[in-house]
Amino acid sequence: ESGSMYMWSVYGTFLHACSVPISLGCWDLEGYNLWTISGVTLRKIPFLKTPLTVNNVSNNQQHIILQSAHQVFILPNRFPPKSGLSVYGSIYMGESEVYDTPYRSFIASLGSPLENWPWQVIQVPDIYANSNCPIRFVAIGASGQCTAVAGTRGFAFYISAKHKWRCFGNEAQEQSMIVRGGMLWWHGVLIVAAYHPEDKRSCIYMYPHHNSIDQNSVVCSIPIPSSIITINTYEDYLVVVTGSSRVAVYLLAMSVSPALDVEVSHQKILEFSIAKYTPHPCAVLSVHVSPLLADASVPDTGFKSVLVNVAGKLLMFEIADSGDVGKPIIVATNVESVSCPSRSSMYLGATLWLNCGARGMRVWLPLHGNKEDLSSRRTLVPVKQNVYPLVVHHHEAAILGIPIDSLRCRSETFLHILLHELVVKNLEKHAYCIAKMCEKLPYFHHTLELMIHKALEWDMSHYPNGMLEEAVLPHVIRFMRQLPHYLSVVAHCARKTEMMQWEYLFQSTGVVADLLDECLEKHSLDTAILYLVILQNLHPLNVSRNYIVKLLEASIQQNRWDLGVDLLRFLHAISYESEKFPGARQKKLTGHGPSELAIRLRRSSESFDEEGPLSPATPGIENMSYDMLTTAEDEGVSDRKRAQRIITHHAHKLLKSCQFFRLGEMCYYLNFDLLQFLNNERVNLCEIDDPAHVFMSIHEEFHWPYPDIIPRILSHPKVSPNISVTPVAPDSDPQEVTEVEERGADFISDTVSLYEGSVYSECRVEIDPNILAEALKRGTSENEEKLMFFLKMFSEAHVYNYALLFALVLRDVEAIASVVSKDPSSVILSILMAIDCWGHQESGGYSLFLQSLKPLIAPLFPTSVNDLKLKPLVKMSSLYSVILKSV
């Protein structure tokens, strides 16, 4: 009367509503069209339907499929195959082809319409459709590459990779067969339940997808004594329900010859009657072979039960080890479809997923460890969804389906609902096991956020006056504390929640400051930053200042310079706000939202950048404790000064530990005045306890090579006593060799005495240009610029001991002469002697380098230069001088 039409599923799921005036209506035979009469107007409304309505093999359907009278619409699976196929399935059938759409495209679409997903539309060819449409059955392979359709007679299948249809070559064979009971793909082989009306016999045929369709291409046939109601497969088991109300289970085995000829054998391993439990054989909607038992155990191999859906009542027939079939157990009622995952995991592999119409999704979940009675061994958990489920991805905890009153497919994750229901039922142990198994899912963190949001919304709507014992949020938070994602989940959830709900949220999670301290202990700085923003909105400014200083110290220690810059600006933003709005947050921030705070942060960061680099704090700060640096009672110290103390303290640590590279990064990112720092600390840096250690640290920090040319020459396999050797590398670049020869021409042709009194005393050696090129290598130009920067800083600050070490690393004779002439003290001489002593043990190249510097050093240290231990290699000094010139 209102001119509206409403549609429900068989057991009450509301599907669709539209404004169509109807006085009388009926469906056509296959259910593709609704014929309506309104007054004298006759209308035909076309529909699409899911193949599960007539071919209920949900275990074998991993793609969203809709069918019309002449077309098949496929939305391919966006998940990669989980367990894959068997060896013969992947090698022979080509079912392991990679999907064209990446996995992340599905993740990005969780909870959103899939309108951007491309539908694959398959048009049934005219050669088959003209005489056999409308389509009755549709079956698709695991990879989505093979699609079979069956109409009034015969069948045909489509190979997506080849864009080719395969039909019966003999029309008489096609017309003699009616697909009745369904069809499905098993490892690239099409299993068809057929009926021959001429001789009134039923048979199950198996056709490989790579052959043409005729009776000669059948690789296996199983005669069935009565009509076939429905079929299904699980792993390598085929289950059949016949018109005589009997269930038969077959074990299938495939073999592939070297010529890729396929053979399938079968063996009947079980048969029993269900006549007592069904009013009519046609009341059986689906049948499933399952490894599940009521006691929650899952065997490693084989099957332990048969599930039969009789008019919406799901019965479980357990199979004993002797083969006897027990009395059935009623699992659920109003069941429209059943999905049983593979046995690849302890919990999700032992679950049963049921679509119970108006009651929504139900998960028959095992409770391991409780064996007192059936109710304690398994529980039926409701999982309410906003879509009508068409495909269930068990391992990914996601459902693909069609939303209510919509024709757009949608994906939803159900893990947070499943965990929520288990926690509410005080089954936290089992919820934790499922969460640990699913924590590697890319959207697991988002799932936990949804779980807190769901509990928070429930409590705020049911208990608006305060937290009660019946509240859900405390139970959810107690469960979350067991997971490593707890701190991050709570922080992200709070940032996405209205500020008026924060007080109730943190009553369960704990004080924000305690959560921030916990993040600092676990070195989770990114999460700590989120809590800092929350803390800044809930507590007085002094509390935020103290934690900013702590975070600044932690970020600098972990070399998180990006966070350090943000924290400095944040600290300045608080100072800016306290000056411009002195009464805004002495207790709480009540009048300014996050957006206004962000504007103030941007304004203050601009003024912060204009103030110039951070000046170092007063000398002697390296001896101060951290509490002295971060004390909150020092009201006379500004925020900028407190930051300077922290950065200066860390600069001392980096310098004392010889982490020059990190020190340079800190100066660059935090705009720290290194020159002023060195000027202030000149007295503390006048002595170096272990110059060789600092010298090697500089090499390691900047990846600077050692000049070890002499050991390389002596160890060369072609150098032997009293033999003239002129090796030439066959794969040398002629231009490169020429350049090297020009740079070291004098050195290559020189006759040297390597060691006095040794067998090498008169050895004429012409050095391989490739060896010389390797010895003359220096570090990268970028690292050389960084070394030059530190050389310049230490020189300008008159810290000549460190400047000398950097000059030696660079092997810059001019810089060394400048440093030695400016500070000809015993400290400089001790450094030269220490490096010379170290060079004799570790690097002969540096010993030669120091020997070549003797003319520069001798005038400045006339009484001490002879202490340099250069005698073993004294006759090589002129050679190294040539190297220096070539460099």
Side-chain angles (χ1 to χ4, degrees):
E1 295 179 358
S2 62
S4 300
M5 179 183 68
Y6 301 91
M7 299 181 62
W8 291 265
S9 66
V10 176
Y11 292 108
T13 301
F14 178 72
L15 299 177
H16 187 59
C18 60
S19 299
V20 178
I22 297 176
S23 57
L24 183 63
C26 66
W27 294 95
D28 63 3
L29 183 60
E30 300 299 333
Y32 292 118
N33 299 290
L34 177 64
W35 294 89
T36 64
I37 297 177
S38 177
V40 295
T41 304
L42 177 64
R43 290 189 179 90
K44 183 181 73 171
I45 305 176
F47 283 86
L48 299 177
K49 67 177 183 180
T50 172
L52 297 178
T53 57
V54 291
N55 193 29
N56 201 337
V57 288
S58 55
N59 279 354
N60 296 277
Q61 181 171 320
Q62 299 298 315
H63 313 268
I64 295 180
I65 310 174
L66 299 175
Q67 65 185 64
S68 67
H70 299 83
Q71 292 176 318
V72 178
F73 300 83
I74 302 175
L75 196 61
N77 178 13
R78 262 49 187 177
F79 287 115
K82 199 67 181 176
S83 58
L85 300 175
S86 60
V87 174
Y88 45 76
S90 60
I91 294 178
Y92 160 66
M93 296 301 167
E95 289 272 352
S96 61
E97 297 184 20
V98 179
Y99 300 127
D100 54 353
T101 303
Y103 183 35
R104 59 178 176 270
S105 65
F106 183 90
I107 305 306
S109 65
L110 280 174
S112 60
L114 308 183
E115 55 189 2
N116 295 327
W117 287 19
W119 283 88
Q120 181 183 2
V121 182
I122 301 177
Q123 180 71 41
V124 178
D126 294 338
I127 190 174
Y128 180 79
N130 290 338
S131 57
N132 298 296
C133 274
I135 298 174
R136 291 182 175 178
F137 297 95
V138 174
I140 188 170
S143 68
Q145 298 297 314
C146 302
T147 305
V149 298
T152 57
R153 295 293 176 105
F155 64 91
F157 57 78
Y158 176 75
I159 309 300
S160 298
K162 298 181 179 180
H163 301 283
K164 185 176 181 181
W165 279 93
R166 295 190 185 276
C167 303
F168 273 90
N170 190 327
E171 186 177 357
Q173 293 180 1
E174 178 185 84
Q175 295 301 314
S176 65
M177 174 192 298
I178 301 176
V179 177
R180 182 179 296 176
M183 59 182 181
L184 51 87
W185 289 95
W186 173 76
H187 299 313
V189 173
L190 181 63
I191 301 178
V192 179
Y195 173 73
H196 297 276
E198 295 181 357
D199 48 6
K200 297 182 180 180
R201 62 182 179 89
S202 299
C203 189
I204 294 178
Y205 297 105
M206 302 184 189
Y207 298 86
H209 81 285
H210 68 290
N211 290 340
S212 58
I213 304 177
D214 55 43
Q215 294 299 329
N216 297 327
S217 63
V218 176
V219 295
C220 182
S221 60
I222 306 176
I224 304 298
S226 58
S227 60
I228 302 173
I229 302 300
T230 184
I231 62 173
N232 208 341
T233 58
Y234 180 80
E235 295 178 347
D236 294 333
Y237 296 98
L238 172 66
V239 58
V240 182
V241 177
T242 65
S244 57
S245 297
R246 299 191 66 82
V247 177
V249 181
Y250 299 86
L251 177 62
L252 305 180
M254 178 187 289
S255 61
V256 182
S257 67
L260 298 182
D261 294 329
V262 180
E263 293 184 1
V264 178
S265 60
H266 68 279
Q267 177 186 0
K268 183 186 290 187
I269 58 177
L270 179 67
E271 185 175 6
F272 61 96
S273 175
I274 57 173
K276 295 181 180 179
Y277 311 104
T278 177
H280 190 275
C282 292
V284 177
L285 303 180
S286 63
V287 62
H288 308 265
V289 175
S290 167
L292 305 183
L293 289 173
D295 63 358
S297 62
V298 179
D300 295 333
T301 58
F303 70 99
K304 288 298 182 180
S305 63
V306 176
L307 300 169
V308 183
N309 186 357
V310 180
K313 182 186 297 184
L314 186 63
L315 306 178
M316 170 182 277
F317 295 87
E318 294 189 348
I319 312 301
D321 295 336
S322 60
D324 297 335
V325 180
K327 293 184 178 180
I329 300 171
I330 300 177
V331 177
T333 57
N334 296 343
V335 178
E336 295 183 1
S337 61
V338 181
S339 180
C340 180
S342 61
R343 56 175 125 222
S344 60
S345 59
M346 179 180 178
Y347 277 85
L348 291 184
T351 56
L352 199 63
W353 302 79
L354 312 174
N355 177 17
C356 297
R359 300 180 181 179
M361 289 288 295
R362 295 288 190 272
V363 182
W364 203 40
L365 193 69
L367 303 178
H368 295 272
N370 299 325
K371 298 186 177 181
E372 290 78 8
D373 58 327
L374 177 61
S375 61
S376 64
R377 286 176 281 173
R378 282 189 178 270
T379 182
L380 201 60
V381 180
V383 180
K384 186 177 181 181
Q385 294 292 316
N386 297 319
V387 299
Y388 184 83
L390 297 178
V391 177
V392 179
H393 291 287
H394 313 92
H395 297 280
E396 291 77 16
I399 293 177
L400 305 183
I402 298 179
I404 297 175
D405 198 20
S406 175
L407 297 179
R408 294 180 178 178
C409 291
R410 187 182 180 90
S411 58
E412 288 190 358
T413 175
F414 55 78
L415 182 59
H416 65 289
I417 303 176
L418 180 60
L419 296 177
H420 177 88
E421 294 295 335
L422 290 175
V423 170
V424 170
K425 291 186 175 184
N426 293 323
L427 299 174
E428 295 181 9
K429 173 184 175 182
H430 309 285
Y432 175 77
C433 294
I434 294 177
K436 291 296 292 182
M437 186 179 57
C438 298
E439 65 180 354
K440 292 184 178 180
L441 291 175
Y443 48 89
F444 179 70
H445 190 281
H446 177 65
T447 296
L448 298 181
E449 291 183 34
L450 294 176
M451 188 176 177
I452 294 182
H453 279 295
K454 180 179 176 64
L456 185 61
E457 292 176 2
W458 172 270
D459 289 353
M460 294 297 291
S461 60
H462 289 77
Y463 313 111
N465 297 326
M467 185 176 296
L468 301 177
E469 295 181 357
E470 296 82 3
V472 178
L473 185 60
H475 299 279
V476 173
I477 296 301
R478 184 174 64 248
F479 163 73
M480 289 281 188
R481 290 183 184 275
Q482 307 176 59
L483 302 175
H485 311 78
Y486 166 69
L487 293 172
S488 177
V489 169
V490 172
H492 283 87
C493 184
R495 292 297 305 275
K496 300 173 185 178
T497 305
E498 295 181 3
M499 292 178 58
M500 59 184 301
Q501 298 180 349
W502 282 4
E503 183 178 358
Y504 179 77
L505 173 63
F506 290 110
Q507 286 181 10
S508 299
T509 61
V511 182
V512 179
D514 294 340
L515 298 176
L516 202 158
D517 288 330
E518 192 173 350
C519 291
L520 290 175
E521 293 176 2
K522 296 181 178 180
H523 305 291
S524 302
L525 297 185
D526 293 317
T527 305
I529 290 293
L530 298 178
Y531 282 112
L532 178 62
V533 177
I534 298 172
L535 186 75
Q536 193 262 346
N537 285 274
L538 293 178
H539 294 278
L541 295 178
N542 287 336
V543 178
S544 300
R545 286 194 181 100
N546 294 334
Y547 278 101
I548 290 176
V549 173
K550 290 183 179 180
L551 276 170
L552 180 62
E553 174 73 12
S555 63
I556 292 176
Q557 289 178 352
Q558 298 184 30
N559 303 318
R560 292 295 304 274
W561 313 119
D562 54 338
L563 289 182
V565 173
D566 292 338
L567 287 167
L568 287 174
R569 292 179 175 176
F570 199 3
L571 187 62
H572 192 71
I574 293 179
S575 301
Y576 172 84
E577 185 174 326
S578 61
E579 294 174 1
K580 300 297 182 181
F581 308 94
R585 277 182 292 108
Q586 294 303 319
K587 294 184 178 180
K588 289 184 180 180
L589 178 66
T590 57
H592 306 290
S595 59
E596 185 171 348
L597 179 62
I599 295 174
R600 296 181 184 178
L601 179 58
R602 287 195 296 271
R603 291 175 180 173
S604 61
S605 64
E606 295 174 359
S607 60
F608 173 79
D609 295 335
E610 294 173 357
E611 291 189 13
L614 285 172
S615 301
T618 57
I621 197 173
E622 73 279 2
N623 299 321
M624 298 176 64
S625 64
Y626 179 73
D627 294 335
M628 295 172 64
L629 294 171
T630 60
T631 179
E633 284 76 13
D634 192 1
E635 298 293 342
V637 179
S638 65
D639 296 332
R640 188 176 179 86
K641 292 294 183 182
R642 298 173 72 189
Q644 290 171 2
R645 288 182 177 182
I646 295 296
I647 298 174
T648 305
H649 180 73
H650 191 69
H652 277 283
K653 294 175 59 178
L654 294 177
L655 192 58
K656 291 298 183 182
S657 59
C658 302
Q659 299 184 48
F660 299 101
F661 194 89
R662 299 300 181 193
L663 179 60
E665 284 187 332
M666 188 185 74
C667 295
Y668 175 78
Y669 287 103
L670 302 186
N671 201 19
F672 181 67
D673 194 340
L674 179 61
L675 181 59
Q676 184 176 346
F677 166 74
L678 295 177
N679 283 322
N680 294 340
E681 303 300 324
R682 186 186 308 155
V683 177
N684 299 325
L685 300 175
C686 62
E687 294 184 2
I688 300 178
D689 296 332
D690 189 353
H693 171 70
V694 178
F695 190 71
M696 290 186 294
S697 298
I698 296 174
H699 274 281
E700 294 175 2
E701 282 276 306
F702 297 93
H703 305 288
W704 198 258
Y706 293 93
D708 294 338
I709 183 170
I710 298 303
R712 294 175 186 271
I713 296 173
L714 294 177
S715 63
H716 196 274
K718 295 188 178 183
V719 177
S720 58
N722 303 316
I723 297 177
S724 179
V725 180
T726 309
V728 178
D731 55 347
S732 302
D733 185 359
Q735 182 179 358
E736 182 179 347
V737 172
T738 302
E739 293 177 358
V740 174
E741 288 178 348
E742 292 176 353
R743 294 168 61 191
D746 296 335
F747 173 69
I748 295 174
S749 61
D750 215 348
T751 302
V752 298
S753 176
L754 299 178
Y755 282 94
E756 293 181 338
S758 68
V759 294
Y760 296 94
S761 58
E762 295 297 336
C763 177
R764 179 178 179 84
V765 182
E766 294 186 4
I767 306 302
D768 185 348
N770 290 331
I771 300 177
L772 178 61
E774 183 179 356
L776 296 176
K777 283 183 179 177
R778 299 169 66 85
T780 63
S781 59
E782 181 180 355
N783 286 338
E784 185 172 5
E785 291 178 2
K786 295 175 182 177
L787 288 170
M788 292 295 295
F789 167 76
F790 278 101
L791 174 60
K792 179 182 178 182
M793 289 294 103
F794 283 112
S795 298
E796 292 182 1
H798 306 294
V799 185
Y800 293 115
N801 48 2
Y802 280 92
L804 177 61
L805 291 175
F806 278 93
L808 288 172
V809 170
L810 288 166
R811 299 191 288 280
D812 189 338
V813 179
E814 183 179 351
I816 295 173
S818 175
V819 171
V820 174
S821 62
K822 292 179 180 178
D823 186 16
S825 63
S826 59
V827 176
I828 297 298
L829 180 62
S830 64
I831 292 177
L832 291 172
M833 296 179 66
I835 299 302
D836 177 61
C837 182
W838 167 82
H840 272 76
Q841 299 176 0
E842 303 291 340
S843 176
Y846 268 117
S847 294
L848 291 177
F849 178 64
L850 290 174
Q851 175 65 25
S852 66
L853 298 176
K854 187 174 181 180
L856 297 175
I857 302 173
L860 301 175
F861 306 100
T863 61
S864 303
V865 72
N866 293 327
D867 295 336
L868 295 177
K869 302 175 182 179
L870 303 172
K871 295 179 181 180
L873 299 177
V874 67
K875 295 186 178 182
M876 291 295 294
S877 60
S878 62
L879 303 181
Y880 206 95
S881 299
V882 176
I883 298 177
L884 292 176
K885 294 178 182 178
S886 64
V887 172

